[in-house]
Amino acid sequence: MKKNETNDPKGLPDKHFSGFNKDHKQLLTAILFFLLIFFYMFLREFLTNVIALPAVPGGVYGKMLPPVLFALIYLAYTRGFQSAVFLALFLWVYCWAAEELSVHTGFPFGHYYYSDQLGYKLDVVPIMIGFNYMWVLVFPAFYISNLLAQGTFLEMGKGIKGLLFTAFVASIVTSGIDMVLDPMDATKMSEWVWTKNAYTGYYGIPYMNYLGYIIVMTPAFFIFGLIQRKFNAKPMGPVNLWIASIPLFFYFLIFLMYGAPAPSGVFLVGCFTMVFPLILSIDKLLKHFSTE
């Protein structure tokens, strides 16, 4: 088996590998294109009190499409087309069902309802909520948790125990991201509204919400890990240090986009729940590529 065909991340083409063909370059161009649009969206939000930049057209769906396509194409490049499409479709159904259950019953996230700001609903939950999960929670948490739990960029663990442990770490990372997102999206922008919950000491958000992410997302990441094995997931092209750093940069942009304008204190919380894991991940990533 050639070095760049193995499923073991240690067999990824190293940082000096230069074998990018035309297809690889086209995929990477698409990744950078949608990342740049997202970066523009970040700058627009970040500089809102300084300069009024034009909005991305399309309303809520126009704002969602660039990061979703960025995440989908990047996942396809690093995990294969089948794995990426499976994750998108799986989250579309799975996350909608989890949210639907919680809105109706209060489990697993607590009691709340969605406003109309996230687009059309299927019953009481926005129909595109799973894609929102994909770009802002699952995509960055996947790569961060792999580095934290396994010390590698793509491998979720060898054996069921390793896979389950990484999935658990990924769910904690997801919950940490939401500690920065929720005060902005729910408390400040009212994209969803919390109601009749006990123990709502964090900006009106029930503590159950963060336990709910661990309950819901641990099996989701575990299933994704199993599917990657089923599809023998591997990169479609060379992955050097710069390409591997893209999800970490995206994760940091999410922190700044949501943490900086959030209610007072959220930025500091995010330094512990997002920036600290990011620092550890950068260290793991540098060590991973330095030993190839």
Side-chain angles (χ1 to χ4, degrees), residues 236-249:
M236 297 172 67
V239 179
N240 57 30
L241 178 60
W242 293 105
I243 295 172
S245 300
I246 290 175
L248 277 60
F249 172 70

Side-chain angles (χ1 to χ4, degrees), residues 263-280:
S264 177
V266 174
F267 189 88
L268 180 60
V269 170
C271 288
F272 290 94
T273 66
M274 290 188 70
V275 177
F276 183 61
L278 174 63
I279 293 171
L280 295 178

Side-chain angles (χ1 to χ4, degrees), residues 223-235:
I223 291 169
F224 181 50
L226 291 176
I227 290 297
Q228 289 183 79
R229 293 181 182 180
K230 174 70 174 178
F231 291 147
N232 190 27
K234 57 182 178 288

Side-chain angles (χ1 to χ4, degrees), residues 44-73:
R44 182 176 180 274
E45 295 294 331
F46 199 72
L47 300 175
T48 186
N49 293 325
V50 179
I51 184 173
L53 296 173
V56 174
V60 61
Y61 300 115
K63 291 174 62 177
M64 186 185 301
L65 188 61
V68 167
L69 289 175
F70 157 74
L72 182 63
I73 299 171

Side-chain angles (χ1 to χ4, degrees), residues 22-244:
K22 182 179 179 180
D23 292 338
H24 302 153
K25 292 177 180 178
Q26 288 177 342
L27 286 172
L28 291 172
T29 299
I31 290 168
L32 292 176
F33 173 75
F34 289 114
L35 179 61
L36 285 173
I37 295 177
F38 180 76
F39 185 67
Y40 171 80
M41 292 162 56
F42 158 76
L43 286 178
R44 182 176 180 274
E45 295 294 331
F46 199 72
L47 300 175
T48 186
N49 293 325
V50 179
I51 184 173
L53 296 173
V56 174
V60 61
Y61 300 115
K63 291 174 62 177
M64 186 185 301
L65 188 61
V68 167
L69 289 175
F70 157 74
L72 182 63
I73 299 171
Y74 188 92
L75 279 163
Y77 185 85
T78 57
R79 294 285 73 198
F81 179 77
Q82 289 177 308
S83 296
V85 171
F86 167 82
L87 182 62
L89 296 178
F90 170 68
L91 291 176
W92 189 16
V93 176
Y94 181 83
C95 295
W96 175 87
E99 295 276 347
E100 181 83 359
L101 177 65
S102 193
V103 171
H104 282 294
T105 70
F107 177 85
F109 301 118
H111 293 281
Y112 56 98
Y113 65 88
Y114 277 98
S115 68
D116 295 328
Q117 295 188 45
L118 292 179
Y120 296 108
K121 300 174 187 175
L122 179 59
D123 192 26
V124 293
V125 175
I127 194 169
M128 304 298 284
I129 195 68
F131 293 137
N132 213 44
Y133 267 75
M134 180 178 171
W135 75 265
V136 77
L137 296 172
V138 175
F139 173 81
F142 170 71
Y143 295 101
I144 294 288
S145 62
N146 289 345
L147 288 165
L148 293 179
Q150 303 298 329
T152 64
F153 175 55
L154 300 174
E155 180 61 56
M156 289 189 69
K158 299 184 182 301
I160 295 299
K161 290 183 179 179
L163 180 57
L164 185 59
F165 176 69
T166 306
F168 177 66
V169 172
S171 72
I172 295 175
V173 173
T174 300
S175 187
I177 296 172
D178 194 65
M179 291 191 76
V180 177
L181 266 59
D182 238 308
M184 183 66 180
D185 282 346
T187 305
K188 193 169 182 178
M189 297 177 63
S190 298
E191 291 181 352
W192 55 94
V193 180
W194 296 101
T195 61
K196 60 179 182 181
N197 290 291
Y199 308 109
T200 57
Y202 185 67
Y203 298 96
I205 303 163
Y207 299 133
M208 178 65 186
N209 178 58
Y210 301 104
L211 176 60
Y213 274 105
I214 296 174
I215 294 171
V216 169
M217 298 313 297
T218 297
F221 280 106
F222 182 74
I223 291 169
F224 181 50
L226 291 176
I227 290 297
Q228 289 183 79
R229 293 181 182 180
K230 174 70 174 178
F231 291 147
N232 190 27
K234 57 182 178 288
M236 297 172 67
V239 179
N240 57 30
L241 178 60
W242 293 105
I243 295 172

